[in-house]
Amino acid sequence: MTTRAYPFLMFQHGVGREAVDFYLSLFDDGEVVSMQTYGEEGPGPEGTIMRGEIRFASQTFVVSDSFVTHGFDFTPSLSIWVETGSRDQLETLYGALSDGGAVLMPLGDYGFSARFGWVNDRFGVSWQLNLT
């Protein structure tokens, strides 16, 4: 048996499916690998994500909607790093992901990259976007 590690995105307040659909729309290779949702018997609200796997930018993520209220949420200290060779794609991702979220570092030349930006999206997930 092979041991694997995956980034895990736990959404609160039932927004997991909205986030998944949004992320997959941003990447040409975006796909749902598997998705299990809660039924009417629960324990989570019907239709919310119990456990899913999605893939975009050649990376698989595990996703879930938590029906338990936690005293924490996403933090920028762990972010999704995206490298692209296309300035247009970088600016498209930056615009879409920052819309309704927060800009942590605006697109610019920070010495380590000719074009880099860091944002939190409207779901709280942190993204570092880099032009290679």
Side-chain angles (χ1 to χ4, degrees):
M1 178 177 197
T2 303
T3 301
R4 303 275 319 254
Y6 298 94
F8 177 76
L9 301 174
M10 182 188 69
F11 298 95
Q12 297 189 60
H13 315 294
V15 300
R17 190 64 212 203
E18 180 185 355
V20 164
D21 291 344
F22 175 59
Y23 299 152
L24 297 184
S25 76
L26 298 175
F27 296 90
D28 291 339
D29 67 342
E31 67 174 330
V32 173
V33 177
S34 66
M35 191 67 63
Q36 298 169 313
T37 57
Y38 291 109
E40 63 182 42
E41 69 286 348
E46 184 175 5
T48 59
I49 300 171
M50 181 183 335
R51 184 186 185 284
E53 287 186 26
I54 61 172
R55 185 177 303 122
F56 58 84
S58 301
Q59 175 65 53
T60 301
F61 296 83
V62 175
V63 295
S64 180
D65 272 312
S66 178
F67 62 90
V68 176
T69 300
H70 298 281
F72 57 86
D73 207 349
F74 295 109
T75 172
S77 61
L78 181 63
S79 57
I80 299 172
W81 178 277
V82 178
E83 291 195 355
T84 179
S86 164
R87 182 181 279 270
D88 287 343
Q89 184 184 28
L90 178 77
E91 292 182 6
T92 298
L93 288 170
Y94 181 87
L97 292 165
S98 63
D99 185 28
V103 172
L104 304 177
M105 292 175 74
L107 283 176
D109 181 345
Y110 293 97
F112 58 85
S113 172
R115 195 88 170 138
F116 172 86
W118 192 353
V119 301
N120 282 350
D121 68 27
R122 65 182 182 254
F123 305 104
V125 176
S126 185
W127 299 78
Q128 295 188 59
L129 309 169
N130 187 52
L131 182 65
T132 53

